[in-house]
């Protein structure tokens, strides 16, 4: 575990399972249809129970899902977290298709939504770096920069946790935080 203080709050890096973190909101690395999947999406849906899929289906029917780089919010179902913020990161196509800007947006849109809901604590997974193939060493500095700029600018959320699933991912994010 590593923790660093910024102007308005703290960023914590941990190795673990995002479904077990005690925060007000966890972020899901979802897809455009919000129809569930593998990876962290599968884990969150399993832990939250069927109410999460029902809420996602409602958003799919009323708003057509969630565009890449945007975020939507649902309740947390059976999770400890009160909310799940579903964002859709970019699929990696080699880096020339606006991937970096879309990844930055995924983090910033999730944080804006959290701020709108006056959420004080939030946990993120490493968006896009699994199924979507975004190289970890390119994704980590974008995630870190977007989150730390938020902590230096806004007062909410004031506690942000990056939950890395492997030690390798943790070390990559740690290096991006302390280059
Ligand atoms: N807690 C934290 N991190 C996790 C967990 C978990 N329980 N399970 C997996 N991860 C990590 C992976 O190791 C990876 O580094 O989450 C990161 C993101 O990987 P994916 O879950 O594959 O997400 P992404 O690359 O954004 O792809 C999204 O995958 O599951 C589908 O529906 C989803 O189509 C969407 C796509």
């Amino acid at each position: 575990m590593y923790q660093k203080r910024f102007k308005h709050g703290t960023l914590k890096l941990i190795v673990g399972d995002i479904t077990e973190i005690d925060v007000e909101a966890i972020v899901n690395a979802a897809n455009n249809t919000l129809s569930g999947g593998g990876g962290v999406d599968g884990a969150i849906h399993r832990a939250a129970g069927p109410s999460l899929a029902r809420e996602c289906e409602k958003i799919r029917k009323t708003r057509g899902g969630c565009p890449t780089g945007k975020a939507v919010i649902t309740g947390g179902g059976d999770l400890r977290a009160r909310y799940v913020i579903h964002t859709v990161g970019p699929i990696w196509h080699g880096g020339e298709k606006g991937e970096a800007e879309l990844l930055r947006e995924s983090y910033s849109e999730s944080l804006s939504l959290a701020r709108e809901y006056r959420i004080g604590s939030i946990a993120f997974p490493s968006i896009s770096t699994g199924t979507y193939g975004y190289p970890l060493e390119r994704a980590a500095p974008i995630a870190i920069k977007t989150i730390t700029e938020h902590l230096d600018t806004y007062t909410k959320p004031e506690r942000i946790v990056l939950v890395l699933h492997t030690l390798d991912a943790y070390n990559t994010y740690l290096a991006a935080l302390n280059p």
Side-chain angles (χ1 to χ4, degrees), residues 16-19 29-32 35-44 89-90 124-134 136 163-166 169:
D17 177 348
I18 200 166
T19 62
N31 52 57
N32 295 130
S35 50
V40 73
D41 197 1
I44 290 174
F124 282 92
S126 175
I127 298 164
S128 283
T129 60
T131 310
Y132 282 179
Y134 207 117
L136 203 53
V163 185
L164 292 324
H165 210 45
T166 62

Side-chain angles (χ1 to χ4, degrees), residues 59 98 101 111 128 159:
I59 296 171
E101 177 56 20
L111 288 167
S128 283
R159 191 159 78 80

